[in-house]
Amino acid sequence: MSSKKLVFLDIDGTLLLNGGPVSGKVAQALKQAYDNGHFLCICTGRAYSEVPEEMKRFDGVISAAGACVMWKDKILQAEYFAEEEKEFVTGLLEEAGATYIMEGFGNLYMKRDIRERFFRELESARDEERMLLGFFYKTIPFDSVQEAERVHKCSYFYAEKDSFWFRERLRARDMSVTSFSQAETRGNSGEITKTAFTKGTAVHYLSDHLGVPVKDTIAIGDSENDLEMLKAAGVGIAMGNASDYVKETADDVTKPVTEDGVYHAFLKYGLISEDD
């Protein structure tokens, strides 16, 4: 396996733009790389239930920002919030006045009163805010946090506190907060995870499990929660649409998602050729 590359790919802002489909050029590059014997692994902040079905057919799927690692449809590692962690996080989010979702492997959970208020407010929302509608509709309403079973992570939106406020309070619990890649949810939105489980730890775990040397791994991403993945891989590539600090961390920068950045990265690093 060491002669082949193990490639980790973020979804939002890397393979997809604002929830749209993978471009034809990138889709063809993915198929060509797979046909050339390379291993492709999704590495996303999304819960597994939110990974597009066609991407679940990749060799591997790392979901929930590194909390769940799968290979060939088999769960190799999964980490969940303890009950006291769920209660602490929901208390923090309610204090911050945030709209939030608790994310498990197969289900998304949203507090009933917050969910109902959100849908009422959405009637007058801007078009870019309506993009979240499908995501929120999939949630299961809960009245008590104990009803949210086996939670990997928590996503929140429209908080009255910034990420620094969250970071200070989460640090003592060995938890962290990162921003989303989608432009319309930056600033007062993000995801809360356990510090010990990141996209970077998942890269190391899977490469060790498969016996693939780190030098034969490539990671491509665009946002804050991709930083550890980009640093962990043999080659970390930032999308052209990534934030400046992500580009500075990466080993290389490819074109933006709007210009088929993944295709150009695959071509540059020999995963495909123009003759494929």
Side-chain angles (χ1 to χ4, degrees):
M1 292 180 69
S2 61
S3 62
K4 305 299 182 182
K5 302 298 182 184
L6 173 58
V7 186
F8 298 91
L9 295 154
D10 174 51
I11 295 180
D12 298 294
T14 299
L15 290 174
L16 303 183
L17 177 64
N18 296 331
V22 175
S23 75
K25 201 165 188 177
V26 170
Q28 185 61 29
L30 295 170
K31 181 181 183 304
Q32 290 171 351
Y34 181 81
D35 289 345
N36 289 342
H38 302 292
F39 303 96
L40 304 180
C41 182
I42 290 296
C43 195
T44 180
R46 297 188 187 199
Y48 183 75
S49 61
E50 285 300 295
V51 175
E53 289 301 316
E54 65 272 18
M55 294 184 189
K56 291 178 180 177
R57 295 193 289 270
F58 279 44
D59 294 303
V61 177
I62 294 169
S63 58
C68 185
V69 181
M70 300 181 66
W71 188 256
K72 304 294 186 182
D73 297 324
K74 180 182 178 182
I75 297 177
L76 302 179
Q77 176 177 269
E79 180 65 24
Y80 302 95
F81 285 7
E83 288 300 316
E84 57 270 22
E85 290 172 327
K86 287 195 299 184
E87 292 176 5
F88 175 76
V89 168
T90 53
L92 207 61
L93 291 163
E94 303 234 353
E95 183 181 349
T99 296
Y100 62 91
I101 295 175
M102 309 299 286
E103 301 181 34
F105 180 81
N107 293 310
L108 307 174
Y109 302 90
M110 193 171 182
K111 193 173 181 183
R112 190 182 305 276
D113 60 342
I114 295 176
R115 189 177 190 271
E116 291 172 353
R117 184 180 73 243
F118 176 81
F119 284 124
R120 287 196 301 270
E121 293 173 353
L122 197 63
E123 293 177 3
S124 59
R126 298 170 298 176
D127 287 342
E128 59 266 27
E129 290 176 317
R130 290 181 178 274
M131 293 173 56
L132 296 171
L133 185 60
F135 184 50
F136 283 98
Y137 264 134
K138 294 176 183 178
T139 59
I140 298 172
F142 69 83
D143 297 301
S144 170
V145 70
Q146 286 75 25
E147 297 172 43
E149 299 178 345
R150 297 170 69 80
V151 171
H152 288 304
K153 60 184 279 279
C154 180
S155 294
Y156 68 90
F157 308 82
Y158 315 121
E160 296 168 6
K161 307 290 186 180
D162 61 23
S163 59
F164 297 103
W165 184 89
F166 282 101
R167 193 167 288 120
E168 287 178 359
R169 288 154 180 79
L170 289 165
R171 189 178 296 116
R173 300 283 183 133
D174 292 324
M175 304 181 88
S176 59
V177 60
T178 54
S179 354
F180 291 118
S181 57
Q182 297 95 325
E184 73 276 4
T185 61
R186 281 187 181 146
N188 59 348
S189 303
E191 58 188 16
I192 296 173
T193 59
K194 289 191 171 189
T195 305
F197 296 87
T198 68
K199 289 186 178 184
T201 63
V203 166
H204 282 301
Y205 176 86
L206 189 55
S207 61
D208 287 346
H209 178 81
L210 298 174
V212 177
V214 171
K215 67 180 181 64
D216 290 328
T217 64
I218 296 172
I220 309 177
D222 73 300
S223 64
E224 184 180 358
N225 75 0
D226 295 317
L227 287 173
E228 296 303 318
M229 174 181 77
L230 298 180
K231 290 189 286 188
V235 178
I237 304 171
M239 296 294 291
N241 48 283
S243 301
D244 287 342
Y245 65 89
V246 176
K247 293 177 182 177
E248 291 167 3
T249 299
D251 300 304
D252 200 356
V253 179
T254 187
K255 291 182 180 293
V257 63
T258 53
E259 299 176 32
D260 303 314
V262 169
Y263 163 80
H264 291 285
F266 277 24
L267 193 62
K268 180 175 181 178
Y269 285 90
L271 302 176
I272 61 174
S273 68
E274 292 180 336
D275 297 329
D276 284 342

